[in-house]
Amino acid sequence: QVHASRSNNMCIIGGFTQMIREGGPRSLWRGNGINVLKIAPESAIKFMAYEQIKRFIGTDQEMLRIHERLLAGSLAGAIAQSSIYPMEVLKTRMALRKTGQYSGVLDCAKTILAKEGMAAFYKGYIPNMLGIIPYAGIDLAVYETLKNTWLQRYAVNSADPGVFVLLACGTISSTCGQLASYPLALVRTRMQAQASVEGAPEVTMRGLFRHILETEGAFGLYRGLAPNFMKVIPAVSISYVVYENLKMTLGVQSR
């Protein structure tokens, strides 16, 4: 997403090799500490907001319609991302750092604050919000629609579709969401990664889109899509399985 270009056509294996050569096997988990710290409140806020918004906009019907789920999912995603966004920027900077550049997350945060100011923690916020609305909306709406459709057709006496059905629904829904929002996610990541240089002009979202299209073509907006899809099954799908099992354990009723 950040370093590849027409002149530096990084592939998945080449990317792994380059990272291991620069920082050893541990470099493959750079930024994972802050990633784990941010994903807990982000997921909790997203799912809580989704359930509460569904209740708020719910009609007299037992099941919500897909456009109502899209609205609830979009709002939930926007609320969750807004609440943890500085950690998103820190995760990107920690993942892209060179060996020895920062001693830890706090050192990274202090360095960004001292050199770039508080505004640096919100770089890429606008494309992130524009991207999270279709991503979270489509992801959550498609997931629940697929799950409920399967339950209505094949599970007459059970409200539990099983792990494999949940994994499949989560994979399909997340893939649809990623396809709809990936160019905005790429631009967001490049804006987050860009350290401010004194005297250099600030890159805008529109300027970055134009630069990518002029130098790399439309394909440049989808760099990194393959490994992004490869992580969908273990990451997003498992989170949905845990979400559904916890809902049943806690007795939460979905509409």
Side-chain angles (χ1 to χ4, degrees):
Q1 281 189 326
V2 177
H3 297 308
S5 64
R6 276 181 176 163
S7 57
N8 177 30
N9 194 16
M10 184 189 295
C11 63
I12 296 172
I13 295 172
F16 275 123
T17 305
Q18 186 176 316
M19 289 163 68
I20 292 169
R21 191 185 298 124
E22 195 277 330
R26 285 185 65 185
S27 68
L28 300 175
W29 276 268
R30 276 184 184 160
N32 192 46
I34 187 70
N35 186 53
V36 171
L37 284 174
K38 89 169 181 68
I39 205 72
E42 180 188 1
S43 296
I45 292 167
K46 181 178 75 173
F47 286 126
M48 180 195 72
Y50 182 56
E51 293 296 336
Q52 293 300 323
I53 293 166
K54 282 196 300 180
R55 287 187 175 89
F56 179 75
I57 66 174
T59 59
D60 293 333
Q61 294 176 317
E62 187 179 340
M63 300 296 289
L64 293 179
R65 289 165 290 185
I66 190 161
H67 71 272
E68 292 172 320
R69 289 202 187 101
L70 275 168
L71 176 61
S74 298
L75 290 172
I79 291 166
Q81 280 287 300
S82 295
S83 63
I84 56 89
Y85 194 75
M87 296 174 78
E88 190 79 46
V89 175
L90 278 173
K91 180 201 79 172
T92 300
R93 293 290 183 93
M94 290 293 288
L96 293 170
R97 77 188 190 274
K98 302 293 182 186
T99 302
Q101 186 174 353
Y102 306 117
S103 60
V105 176
L106 285 176
D107 181 47
C108 178
K110 287 177 183 176
T111 304
I112 294 170
L113 189 62
K115 291 184 176 179
E116 304 171 51
M118 194 66 196
F121 291 102
Y122 289 89
K123 280 186 173 180
Y125 180 79
I126 292 174
N128 185 68
M129 284 298 104
L130 292 175
I132 202 66
I133 289 170
Y135 172 73
I138 292 169
D139 184 20
L140 288 163
V142 170
Y143 166 76
E144 279 215 319
T145 301
L146 288 173
K147 185 194 76 172
N148 290 332
T149 301
W150 192 93
L151 286 172
Q152 288 168 3
R153 289 188 180 181
Y154 303 109
V156 180
N157 300 317
S158 174
D160 181 12
V163 172
F164 290 111
V165 174
L166 293 177
L167 283 171
C169 292
T171 301
I172 294 167
S173 65
S174 185
T175 299
C176 292
Q178 296 276 0
L179 284 171
S181 63
Y182 194 80
L184 285 159
L186 180 134
V187 167
R188 173 207 68 190
T189 304
R190 288 204 182 181
M191 290 178 75
Q192 288 175 346
Q194 188 183 45
S196 294
V197 179
E198 198 171 339
E202 191 73 22
V203 176
T204 63
M205 179 182 75
R206 188 179 298 177
L208 199 48
F209 263 116
R210 191 185 301 117
H211 174 74
I212 293 169
L213 288 170
E214 287 173 355
T215 58
E216 304 174 46
F219 178 77
L221 294 171
Y222 288 89
R223 291 200 181 275
L225 186 64
N228 202 61
F229 279 156
M230 289 165 69
K231 74 165 187 157
V232 161
I233 296 174
V236 179
S237 303
I238 290 171
S239 74
Y240 275 125
V241 173
V242 174
Y243 166 59
E244 291 293 345
N245 280 280
L246 282 174
K247 276 207 303 183
M248 284 189 283
T249 303
L250 298 170
V252 177
Q253 295 294 319
S254 282
R255 297 178 65 181

